Amino acid sequence: SIQPANDGPTGELTHIRLPMGYIPNVQYAPFYAAVEKGFFEEYGIELEFDYSYETDGVALVGANELQFSLVSGEQVPIARAQGLPIVYVMAWYEKYPVALVSKTEQNVKTPQDLAGKRVALPGPFGANYVGLRALLGEVGLQESDIIMESVGFNQVEVLATDTTEVIVGYSANEPIQLKAQGYDLDLILVSDYLDLVSNGIITNEKTLAEDPELVERFVSAALKGIQFAVENPEEAFQFCFKYIEGLEDADQDVQFEVLQASMELYQTDPYGYSHPEAWENMQGVLLQMGLMKKEIDLEEAYTNEFSQ
Amino acid sequence: MKDFGVGIRKIGFLVLSILAGLFLWQMFTTFSQIPSFIFPKPIEVWDRLIIVLQDGSLMKHALITLQEVLFGLMLGLSAAIITGYFLAKSRIVERVLSPYIVASQSIPIVAIAPLLVIWLGPGIFSKILTSALIVFFPVLVNTVVGLKSVPRELYDLMRSLQANTWQRIIKLEIPAAMPVFLGGLRIGATLSVIGAVVGEFVGADKGLGFLVNVGRGLYDTALVFVAVFTIVLLSLGLYGSVIFIENRLLSWQKRNGD
Amino acid sequence: MKDFGVGIRKIGFLVLSILAGLFLWQMFTTFSQIPSFIFPKPIEVWDRLIIVLQDGSLMKHALITLQEVLFGLMLGLSAAIITGYFLAKSRIVERVLSPYIVASQSIPIVAIAPLLVIWLGPGIFSKILTSALIVFFPVLVNTVVGLKSVPRELYDLMRSLQANTWQRIIKLEIPAAMPVFLGGLRIGATLSVIGAVVGEFVGADKGLGFLVNVGRGLYDTALVFVAVFTIVLLSLGLYGSVIFIENRLLSWQKRNGD
Amino acid sequence: MNSANNHPLLEVKDLGVTFTDDKGSLQALNQISFSVDREQFICVVGPSGSGKSTLIRVLAGLLAPTSGEVVLDGIPINEPRQGVGIVFQKANLMPWRSVLRNITLPLEINHVPQNEANERASELIELVGLTGFEDWLPHDLSGGMLQRVAIARSLIQDPDLLLLDEPFGALDALTREKMGAELLRIWRVRKKTVIMITHDISEAVFLADRVLAISPQPGNLRLDLEINLERPRQEDDRFSPEFVVYTQQLRDAIR
Amino acid sequence: MNSANNHPLLEVKDLGVTFTDDKGSLQALNQISFSVDREQFICVVGPSGSGKSTLIRVLAGLLAPTSGEVVLDGIPINEPRQGVGIVFQKANLMPWRSVLRNITLPLEINHVPQNEANERASELIELVGLTGFEDWLPHDLSGGMLQRVAIARSLIQDPDLLLLDEPFGALDALTREKMGAELLRIWRVRKKTVIMITHDISEAVFLADRVLAISPQPGNLRLDLEINLERPRQEDDRFSPEFVVYTQQLRDAIR
Ligand SMILES: Nc1ncnc2c1ncn2[C@@H]1O[C@H](COP(=O)(O)OP(=O)(O)OP(=O)(O)O)[C@@H](O)[C@H]1O
Ligand SMILES: Nc1ncnc2c1ncn2[C@@H]1O[C@H](COP(=O)(O)OP(=O)(O)OP(=O)(O)O)[C@@H](O)[C@H]1O
Ligand SMILES: [Mg+2]
Ligand SMILES: [Mg+2]
């Protein structure tokens, strides 16, 4: 396997633009750390963050306009089913990050308690919806057993104002913001009930076939960042300030908590590894939901070749 | 006979125009390097269209959006006409309200999305509002400009005939301001669709905007195109209606222009 | 002296209008049940404003957006004026192009975002384009309506004076179409800001739209408000510039209207 | 206005009108005083820009005088009044209305049923010689035809007081004479009061009981000339010595 | 147009104009033929709607005839020509231009330097009696003043052929006479050809070398009358027997 060049960058750096899927955020601390600590440079990569919409990243990688993207797990089977030649090459999260959040007075402790509740999510698409449906299916509930409300990305606001009873969100984001506002919450984590493929790095088949060495360099650097962040959360957090506008002025405790909560979801042993059963589960859920019309060959969808 | 001939010719132009578009599209997808999940071929979109037509889902979403658009258009129009009238008539009202009106135009909807959801719920109302909001301004401005273009001599005439306010509005101001006003309506009608669709993007589980979101989420670009075309069709339909009204109401001006 | 007095009064109205707005806002936040991370109080927004002013970040983003808006406005305006001229002159051009122009207005930007990124890159161009696109239509329509309102007799006059095309445009069509055209510009200038901001929402790492996104991501609602106000201010500035131009160019009409 | 009493129908007292704008001010009318009895036919002559149209606008209640007062039927005028028909110097037609609908506009405003309105209009259309042009739009008419539409419109309500600002300005000599004769007939039969601006002194003398001559800038009433020619007047009267004297007097007044 | 040869300046041959729209068609002019020599002063009279303005529009090259032909200086007219000055029946001023800028418009179009243009304009402004109103906008002028601006504008290029469509329509008798006299003077001194529409038969006879009388619908050339009164003519000529005969002939022609 490829070793970092000992004496720093020798030749030209490969420029990589990485779609992050969201705006600058502390959850990306491992990547910021990897850049700041020079890991990417060590592997001959000059990294540029791109905060466009998630699906853009998948499409652009699929079209070989870009080599890599950071995506949410369910996107990979969905996109491959549509013929996008993308391959998942590195798991960043082990646990599916979606959670159902409610104020404690609602008494929603288990998925069964959801029956008859008003559940708000951005809309019937994306990771939140997949997480919700997976959870409901796991405990034998139907979508019609709950009252689903599409509120856009305003879950925090609608829960805070009791416009709804339960929200679906990322466990490392919405609940922490709400707790910071002083609300007492119950969380139901999807990952407690079912293993699903979670966020990671994709590339496309062409890059994988023609330049596997680039993929290896990229994944290695990223993994080094993750490892660094896990071992030095405080320091990783400090790196965020350079990348996230307005972080100095935000509530830093909350933000640090966001980082810690995401770290609980990381895939650490081994770094970058994605579990085959999580893939099977994901495919099953997506097929059942009708988000995929036909089964795909999961072997082509991901590889653990680069995990460490 | 004559009118009929003109109608045929108009439709001929439309068909020609559409065929030319289809041809360019086919050429483009054939010769460019862009994969079809980013830019599908006409035939793929056609197949997808047949499917959503047969299962009725396109119709369902289109009707929802149409409903939002029509209500939004009505709301935006009424608000714009009434406000426009007072703005054109009173300097003070104009000075006090203008900044707020301009402000209301430039506030990005996503920025106030939480408030919309909290106040109006996740249903159809927030979409009607976003549609109305975007319709409002062009119609307002053209109402004001149109009213200001009413010849002063005709005001004198109406005054001398002791027309009351209502008659002055109906018999003078409305017909005289109509050409410019209808220009505003053209803009407003077209924008109303995009307003409703944007409202749906922010958060919805039905409507054509939602369908675009679904298509994007599933990398089903053909579906995205089907939804977009339906949106465009809706716009064209509304635009066509305005043109139809123009042809009716402004025939006196047409003769002049031609 | 007289003009000066009028200026003072205009500013007075603006200040009054803003104070009234602030008062309503304060009342609203005090008496409503909405928590301040959803709808902050004026003072919180003020504090946040001071911070981003001092660290220069507001300025930085505002300048980016301003740049996009100005380029977008220029691009949209030029395209609209040129197209509008030909549409007003030629029925055939109008019939063939109209459907595409209306279509271009109603295609949701997010639906073609990947294409924009592929063709224009993630930089400033896609925002200029979204801004230009939204400016285009209202200006176009009002250009056409304005040109159609040029009195036929004055065309006769210019013909009899053997004015060439260019002189006819400069000396007749531009001044005669100006009132309606400027109405379109008012709409276009206001929309240009929202166009650029929408472009930034879809994907950017600078600009005021991005700042709104950042604020929302951090649940820093005060920052969202600061960004939104800056956006509004930009719009008001552009709108004010158009009004300024109107006052200059249309003084001959003002006298009529008052 | 039908109250039969012996004070004059219209009294103009020390009327002054000054237009002011940023470029300064212009005194259009200065200290004009005259009064008009019921059923009189008054003509106003004066050079271009002397304030004739301005006077008509004040009498119509469309323009508030800067000084002085106008009393119509005992009540000071400050807004347009019922029973007054006006022909403006510009035809002032609505371009979106046909000849017929332009003429019936005043009736529409007074909620006269359309049938009746059309009937009354068709008489007047014949009177002004526009039969066959009922459905035409103003754009397609000649200058004189437009003016005739405006005249018909002013007559349709059978007003007691007619204010006419160069109603025959765009008419050819013959139509002009014919319309003048018609106007005289209407005036006599229907017992109207007429105040008419004309730039044709001979026409003024031929038609009027009294001719007012206004001098320009500021518009002063130079001459208030009673025309004592017997009625009905004949075309040949134009060559009578009195006629020539009246004409000469007026010419001199506005020179 | 300055080529001195002996064919007539303007030849109108079998000219016909028909307006057609959805409501049917209207024949405005029918088989009109006449010719105009260099430096002639022609007046055209005819009832309202007889097609006089239509004739002027054809002569100006603004309207293509439906049949027949118009030859100016040997070349058939199919577009406006250099050296022709036009006064339209409506003043046709640009409302956004001041009196001065309206008058200098033709010079602007011919790239005459502004200084020179202003100089030439100020002479004409004096001629039409608008000194002091140079910076006024059309909105603030009286009807007659607007027309005087239009006259000044038509003269500023010193055209060889003047086409005037009721140029004095909105002018009072005195101004009218004064302007008529000025026009005659300009015509004589500058050796122009003038074709002028008027609705005043006496004015036509007084001014013209020849008067054309058009009858209405369809407009036919009824009479082409040579006026053999000596020049310069005096106001008193109006009362001469020949004058009265001419007048009577024309009256009869257009009746
Ligand atoms: N654009 C047009 N379309 C249809 N008919 C027209 C048009 N212009 C003029 N006409 C008709 O042609 C006839 C002659 O019009 P024209 O303007 O030449 O008359 P004119 O002799 O100038 O009358 P006036 O003395 O009233 O100005 C009229 O019956 C008029 O309605
Ligand atoms: N709205 C106005 N603002 C400023 N000045 C005006 C306005 N209206 C008229 N005037 C001026 O008042 C004077 C008298 O105008 P008015 O229209 O009454 O003249 P008139 O006697 O009707 O002339 P004409 O016979 O040419 O129609 C003119 O000098 C004119 O410029
Ligand atoms: Mg007047
Ligand atoms: Mg005419």
Side-chain angles (χ1 to χ4, degrees):
Chain A
S1 78
I2 293 183
Q3 291 302 311
N6 295 333
D7 43 6
T10 45
E12 293 271 293
L13 292 179
T14 315
H15 182 92
I16 296 291
R17 195 171 105 216
L18 181 65
M20 305 300 282
Y22 192 51
I23 55 172
N25 188 281
V26 285
Q27 61 170 308
Y28 299 132
F31 295 90
Y32 302 147
V35 172
E36 290 301 307
K37 297 293 286 183
F39 301 154
F40 277 104
E41 210 174 329
E42 272 174 46
Y43 285 97
I45 288 168
E46 181 191 40
L47 188 64
E48 179 197 347
F49 297 111
D50 175 348
Y51 301 101
S52 304
Y53 274 20
E54 179 171 46
T55 37
D56 289 353
V58 177
L60 292 173
V61 172
N64 200 28
E65 290 284 328
L66 297 175
Q67 281 74 50
F68 301 100
S69 180
L70 195 54
V71 306
S72 169
E74 75 285 343
Q75 303 291 323
V76 180
I78 293 175
R80 282 202 65 97
Q82 291 289 342
L84 279 75
I86 56 166
V87 185
Y88 187 89
V89 291
M90 183 201 102
W92 171 25
Y93 284 5
E94 175 186 29
K95 296 177 182 154
Y96 205 63
V98 173
L100 278 82
V101 185
S102 57
K103 291 188 180 169
T104 45
E105 63 258 31
Q106 293 292 340
N107 242 332
V108 181
K109 314 284 182 202
T110 68
Q112 281 79 12
D113 298 333
L114 289 171
K117 291 285 181 188
R118 287 160 53 210
V119 181
L121 75 173
F125 45 76
N128 287 302
Y129 185 48
V130 170
L132 173 67
R133 283 289 299 263
L135 188 68
L136 289 175
E138 199 59 20
V139 299
L141 286 174
Q142 301 294 315
E143 199 177 303
S144 54
D145 294 328
I146 60 168
I147 305 163
M148 215 175 78
E149 292 178 332
S150 303
V151 298
F153 290 92
N154 307 299
Q155 300 104 304
V156 166
E157 289 87 349
V158 293
L159 194 72
T161 53
D162 295 318
T163 308
T164 193
E165 293 165 337
V166 183
I167 60 168
V168 185
Y170 277 47
S171 61
N173 187 3
E174 282 85 359
I176 293 170
Q177 302 295 344
L178 281 159
K179 278 183 186 151
Q181 297 297 333
Y183 299 104
D184 292 325
L185 305 174
D186 282 324
L187 258 68
I188 302 171
L189 298 171
V190 173
S191 57
D192 286 350
Y193 293 82
L194 174 77
D195 256 352
L196 292 171
V197 194
S198 189
N199 303 33
I201 295 280
I202 56 164
T203 185
N204 53 45
E205 290 175 354
K206 190 158 187 278
T207 308
L208 198 58
E210 292 175 1
D211 199 356
E213 181 241 19
L214 172 66
V215 180
E216 170 139 33
R217 282 193 283 144
F218 186 87
V219 171
S220 305
L223 289 180
K224 238 177 135 173
I226 295 172
Q227 194 167 357
F228 175 85
V230 170
E231 285 159 11
N232 316 281
E234 297 279 356
E235 205 176 328
F237 185 65
Q238 292 311 313
F239 289 133
C240 292
F241 287 88
K242 183 172 164 195
Y243 291 90
I244 305 170
E245 289 241 20
L247 186 57
E248 314 85 38
D249 307 309
D251 187 331
Q252 315 228 332
D253 296 339
V254 176
Q255 292 300 321
F256 190 57
E257 242 180 276
V258 170
L259 179 56
Q260 284 178 312
S262 356
M263 286 180 169
E264 280 168 24
L265 305 170
Y266 285 5
Q267 170 68 34
T268 50
D269 190 23
Y271 283 103
Y273 179 83
S274 60
H275 299 279
E277 65 274 19
W279 284 97
E280 296 292 346
N281 288 342
M282 180 58 88
Q283 167 143 284
V285 168
L286 295 176
L287 283 169
Q288 194 215 332
M289 290 174 69
L291 295 181
M292 287 168 70
K293 297 280 181 275
K294 57 174 199 284
E295 231 174 288
I296 58 160
D297 184 356
L298 289 174
E299 293 296 311
E300 294 173 351
Y302 72 99
T303 170
N304 278 320
E305 189 187 331
F306 305 102
S307 68
Q308 296 169 1
Chain B
M1 261 328 274
K2 205 173 159 199
D3 266 350
F4 186 65
V6 170
I8 290 278
R9 242 178 92 202
K10 264 189 203 163
I11 291 172
F13 269 114
L14 193 68
V15 169
L16 209 81
S17 170
I18 289 170
L19 284 181
L22 276 176
F23 177 76
L24 284 179
W25 178 12
Q26 178 69 48
M27 286 296 100
F28 175 75
T29 46
T30 310
F31 292 110
S32 77
Q33 296 299 314
I34 295 191
S36 79
F37 59 84
I38 289 188
F39 206 123
K41 296 195 172 43
I43 185 68
E44 294 167 326
V45 176
W46 177 258
D47 290 345
R48 198 71 185 83
L49 172 68
I50 297 302
I51 293 170
V52 284
L53 273 181
Q54 279 172 347
D55 70 10
S57 61
L58 183 64
M59 209 56 195
K60 189 187 77 189
H61 291 296
L63 282 178
I64 296 282
T65 303
L66 181 65
Q67 198 180 335
E68 295 162 0
V69 166
L70 290 183
F71 280 113
L73 198 53
M74 277 195 300
L75 185 64
L77 263 181
S78 336
I81 293 171
I82 295 170
T83 321
Y85 195 80
F86 288 108
L87 288 192
K89 294 289 155 180
S90 158
R91 292 240 133 209
I92 296 188
V93 175
E94 180 165 11
R95 294 233 172 102
V96 174
L97 283 191
S98 295
Y100 289 98
I101 291 172
V102 178
S104 78
Q105 286 311 299
S106 39
I107 293 179
I109 285 164
V110 287
I112 51 160
L115 293 174
L116 286 182
V117 175
I118 291 170
W119 286 332
L120 303 174
I124 196 172
F125 294 112
S126 59
K127 287 90 199 175
I128 291 177
L129 196 78
T130 54
S131 173
L133 207 66
I134 203 163
V135 167
F136 180 71
F137 195 58
V139 177
L140 176 85
V141 169
N142 276 35
T143 304
V144 172
V145 172
L147 282 172
K148 284 193 173 171
S149 74
V150 181
R152 184 170 50 168
E153 309 97 62
L154 289 181
Y155 274 110
D156 276 357
L157 172 68
M158 290 306 268
R159 274 177 64 207
S160 78
L161 295 176
Q162 290 160 291
N164 59 34
T165 309
W166 198 232
Q167 291 173 323
R168 191 188 65 218
I169 294 174
I170 298 283
K171 296 191 195 295
L172 171 58
E173 293 175 336
I174 291 184
M178 198 46 83
V180 181
F181 169 80
L182 284 178
L185 186 56
R186 276 206 229 181
I187 303 168
T190 313
L191 288 179
S192 70
V193 179
I194 202 82
V197 170
V198 166
E200 288 169 356
F201 280 139
V202 170
D205 47 18
K206 38 191 182 296
L208 295 169
F210 166 72
L211 208 58
V212 170
N213 264 345
V214 168
R216 275 170 62 74
L218 296 175
Y219 304 96
D220 185 350
T221 318
L223 179 60
V224 174
F225 269 59
V226 168
V228 167
F229 280 130
T230 316
I231 291 167
V232 167
L233 210 69
L234 213 63
S235 279
L236 281 173
L238 284 173
Y239 184 82
S241 314
V242 179
I243 296 285
F244 179 78
I245 296 173
E246 274 189 9
N247 286 343
R248 285 285 150 127
L249 295 185
L250 302 187
S251 55
W252 60 272
Q253 211 198 22
K254 268 283 157 52
R255 230 159 293 192
N256 187 22
D258 282 347
Chain C
M1 259 326 274
K2 207 176 157 197
D3 266 352
F4 187 65
V6 170
I8 290 277
R9 241 178 92 200
K10 262 188 204 166
I11 292 171
F13 269 113
L14 193 66
V15 170
L16 208 81
S17 170
I18 289 171
L19 285 181
L22 275 176
F23 178 77
L24 284 178
W25 177 10
Q26 179 68 49
M27 286 295 102
F28 176 76
T29 46
T30 312
F31 292 110
S32 78
Q33 296 299 315
I34 294 196
S36 84
F37 71 94
I38 296 182
F39 207 126
K41 294 195 172 44
I43 184 70
E44 295 168 324
V45 175
W46 177 257
D47 290 346
R48 198 70 186 81
L49 173 69
I50 298 302
I51 292 169
V52 284
L53 274 182
Q54 279 172 347
D55 70 9
S57 60
L58 183 64
M59 207 57 194
K60 189 187 76 188
H61 291 294
L63 282 179
I64 295 282
T65 304
L66 181 65
Q67 198 180 334
E68 295 162 359
V69 166
L70 290 183
F71 281 112
L73 199 53
M74 277 195 300
L75 186 64
L77 263 182
S78 339
I81 292 172
I82 294 170
T83 321
Y85 193 81
F86 287 107
L87 288 193
K89 294 289 157 184
S90 157
R91 292 238 134 208
I92 295 188
V93 175
E94 180 165 11
R95 294 233 172 102
V96 174
L97 282 191
S98 294
Y100 290 98
I101 291 170
V102 178
S104 79
Q105 286 312 300
S106 38
I107 292 178
I109 287 162
V110 285
I112 50 161
L115 282 176
L116 287 182
V117 175
I118 291 176
W119 286 332
L120 305 173
I124 196 173
F125 295 111
S126 60
K127 287 92 202 175
I128 291 178
L129 195 78
T130 56
S131 175
L133 208 64
I134 202 163
V135 166
F136 180 71
F137 196 57
V139 177
L140 175 84
V141 169
N142 276 33
T143 304
V144 173
V145 172
L147 282 173
K148 285 197 173 169
S149 75
V150 181
R152 184 171 49 168
E153 308 96 65
L154 290 180
Y155 274 110
D156 276 357
L157 172 68
M158 290 306 269
R159 274 178 64 207
S160 78
L161 296 175
Q162 289 160 293
N164 59 33
T165 309
W166 198 232
Q167 291 173 323
R168 191 188 64 217
I169 294 174
I170 297 284
K171 297 196 194 289
L172 171 58
E173 293 176 337
I174 291 183
M178 200 45 87
V180 180
F181 170 78
L182 284 177
L185 187 55
R186 278 207 227 181
I187 303 170
T190 314
L191 288 180
S192 70
V193 179
I194 202 81
V197 169
V198 165
E200 288 169 355
F201 281 138
V202 171
D205 48 16
K206 37 191 183 294
L208 293 169
F210 169 73
L211 207 59
V212 170
N213 267 346
V214 167
R216 276 174 60 72
L218 294 171
Y219 296 91
D220 185 349
T221 320
L223 179 60
V224 173
F225 270 60
V226 167
V228 167
F229 280 130
T230 315
I231 291 167
V232 167
L233 210 70
L234 212 64
S235 277
L236 281 173
L238 283 175
Y239 185 81
S241 314
V242 179
I243 296 284
F244 179 78
I245 296 173
E246 274 189 10
N247 286 342
R248 286 285 150 127
L249 293 186
L250 301 188
S251 55
W252 61 272
Q253 209 198 25
K254 266 282 157 48
R255 228 160 292 194
N256 186 21
D258 281 346
Chain D
M1 220 184 293
N2 290 316
S3 63
N5 44 24
N6 40 15
H7 65 69
L9 175 68
L10 184 77
E11 272 184 293
V12 177
K13 297 178 202 158
D14 292 338
L15 177 67
V17 173
T18 305
F19 293 106
T20 312
D21 65 13
D22 10 303
K23 289 193 302 286
S25 67
L26 183 138
Q27 193 168 9
L29 290 175
N30 180 33
Q31 296 270 84
I32 304 268
S33 298
F34 63 93
S35 67
V36 179
D37 286 333
R38 249 161 254 285
E39 298 173 28
Q40 262 194 334
F41 196 125
I42 308 278
C43 278
V44 181
V45 296
S48 168
S50 57
K52 303 183 296 297
S53 298
T54 306
L55 177 64
I56 286 278
R57 282 169 52 78
V58 173
L59 298 185
L62 291 171
L63 184 71
T66 317
S67 64
E69 187 179 41
V70 178
V71 179
L72 176 64
D73 222 14
I75 305 158
I77 291 183
N78 40 35
E79 53 176 14
R81 204 76 75 71
Q82 193 66 34
V84 180
I86 306 177
V87 174
F88 296 90
Q89 191 165 8
K90 270 178 74 175
N92 260 3
L93 303 181
M94 293 183 170
W96 55 89
R97 283 183 169 243
S98 66
V99 165
L100 178 68
R101 315 307 302 141
N102 263 296
I103 293 176
T104 56
L105 176 69
L107 297 182
E108 241 177 84
I109 286 173
N110 283 296
H111 307 291
V112 175
Q114 185 151 344
N115 284 346
E116 198 191 321
N118 288 354
E119 244 166 66
R120 281 162 72 178
S122 70
E123 272 173 50
L124 285 168
I125 288 174
E126 219 192 301
L127 179 76
V128 298
L130 285 176
T131 313
F133 290 93
E134 286 86 350
D135 295 333
W136 286 52
L137 290 172
H139 282 127
D140 297 336
L141 299 181
S142 77
M145 290 157 101
L146 296 174
Q147 222 170 21
R148 287 182 273 157
V149 176
I151 292 171
R153 182 179 59 193
S154 77
L155 290 173
I156 200 159
Q157 280 191 291
D158 199 9
D160 294 321
L161 174 62
L162 270 174
L163 301 175
L164 310 173
D165 192 351
E166 309 213 17
F168 307 148
L171 297 183
D172 61 288
L174 267 184
T175 316
R176 194 170 182 126
E177 272 169 26
K178 211 188 79 192
M179 297 287 307
E182 267 310 323
L183 184 59
L184 276 183
R185 193 181 63 76
I186 293 170
W187 165 72
R188 220 179 34 220
V189 175
R190 301 278 179 93
K191 306 215 175 297
K192 294 185 188 313
T193 311
V194 176
I195 299 176
M196 168 171 155
I197 293 178
T198 173
H199 54 251
D200 186 334
I201 292 179
S202 136
E203 183 175 72
V205 174
F206 186 77
L207 294 175
D209 294 321
R210 252 169 76 208
V211 179
L212 309 181
I214 298 183
S215 72
Q217 277 173 50
N220 274 307
L221 184 55
R222 270 293 178 81
L223 185 64
D224 184 340
L225 183 69
E226 198 121 351
I227 308 292
N228 290 311
L229 295 174
E230 222 159 283
R231 292 193 188 264
R233 297 172 187 166
Q234 307 300 330
E235 277 300 316
D236 294 343
D237 293 352
R238 289 188 196 257
F239 305 98
S240 71
E242 299 101 299
F243 199 99
V244 174
V245 172
Y246 285 136
T247 314
Q248 207 52 51
Q249 271 182 293
L250 286 166
R251 274 176 176 278
D252 292 344
I254 61 177
R255 193 167 303 257
Chain E
M1 220 181 292
N2 291 317
S3 63
N5 42 23
N6 42 13
H7 65 72
L9 175 67
L10 184 78
E11 269 184 292
V12 178
K13 297 178 201 156
D14 291 336
L15 176 67
V17 174
T18 304
F19 293 107
T20 312
D21 63 14
D22 8 306
K23 289 194 301 287
S25 67
L26 184 139
Q27 193 168 11
L29 290 175
N30 181 33
Q31 296 271 84
I32 305 265
S33 299
F34 63 93
S35 66
V36 179
D37 285 334
R38 253 159 252 285
E39 297 173 30
Q40 260 195 333
F41 196 126
I42 309 279
C43 278
V44 181
V45 296
S48 167
S50 57
K52 303 184 296 296
S53 299
T54 305
L55 177 64
I56 287 278
R57 282 170 51 78
V58 172
L59 298 185
L62 291 170
L63 184 71
T66 318
S67 63
E69 185 179 44
V70 178
V71 180
L72 176 64
D73 222 13
I75 304 158
I77 291 184
N78 40 32
E79 55 176 11
R81 205 74 75 71
Q82 193 68 33
V84 180
I86 306 179
V87 174
F88 296 91
Q89 192 165 6
K90 270 179 76 175
N92 262 2
L93 304 181
M94 292 184 172
W96 55 89
R97 284 182 169 243
S98 67
V99 166
L100 178 66
R101 314 306 303 138
N102 262 296
I103 293 175
T104 56
L105 176 68
L107 297 182
E108 241 179 85
I109 286 173
N110 283 297
H111 308 290
V112 175
Q114 186 151 345
N115 285 344
E116 197 192 321
N118 288 354
E119 241 166 67
R120 280 162 71 177
S122 70
E123 271 174 49
L124 283 168
I125 288 174
E126 218 190 304
L127 178 77
V128 298
L130 285 175
T131 312
F133 290 93
E134 286 85 351
D135 295 334
W136 286 51
L137 290 171
H139 283 128
D140 297 337
L141 299 181
S142 78
M145 290 156 101
L146 295 175
Q147 222 170 22
R148 286 181 274 158
V149 176
I151 293 170
R153 182 180 58 193
S154 76
L155 290 172
I156 199 159
Q157 280 191 288
D158 199 8
D160 294 321
L161 174 62
L162 270 174
L163 300 175
L164 310 173
D165 192 351
E166 309 213 16
F168 307 148
L171 296 182
D172 61 289
L174 267 183
T175 316
R176 194 171 182 124
E177 273 168 28
K178 212 187 79 193
M179 298 286 307
E182 268 310 325
L183 184 59
L184 276 182
R185 194 182 61 77
I186 292 171
W187 166 72
R188 220 180 33 224
V189 174
R190 301 276 181 95
K191 306 216 174 299
K192 292 185 191 309
T193 311
V194 176
I195 299 177
M196 168 171 155
I197 292 178
T198 174
H199 54 252
D200 187 333
I201 291 177
S202 134
E203 183 175 72
V205 175
F206 186 78
L207 294 175
D209 293 322
R210 250 168 77 208
V211 180
L212 309 181
I214 297 184
S215 71
Q217 276 171 49
N220 276 307
L221 184 55
R222 269 292 181 82
L223 185 64
D224 185 340
L225 184 68
E226 199 122 349
I227 309 290
N228 289 312
L229 297 173
E230 222 157 283
R231 298 197 185 258
R233 297 171 188 168
Q234 309 299 331
E235 276 300 317
D236 294 343
D237 292 352
R238 289 188 197 259
F239 304 99
S240 72
E242 300 100 300
F243 199 99
V244 174
V245 172
Y246 286 136
T247 313
Q248 206 52 49
Q249 270 181 293
L250 287 166
R251 273 177 175 276
D252 292 342
I254 61 176
R255 190 165 305 255

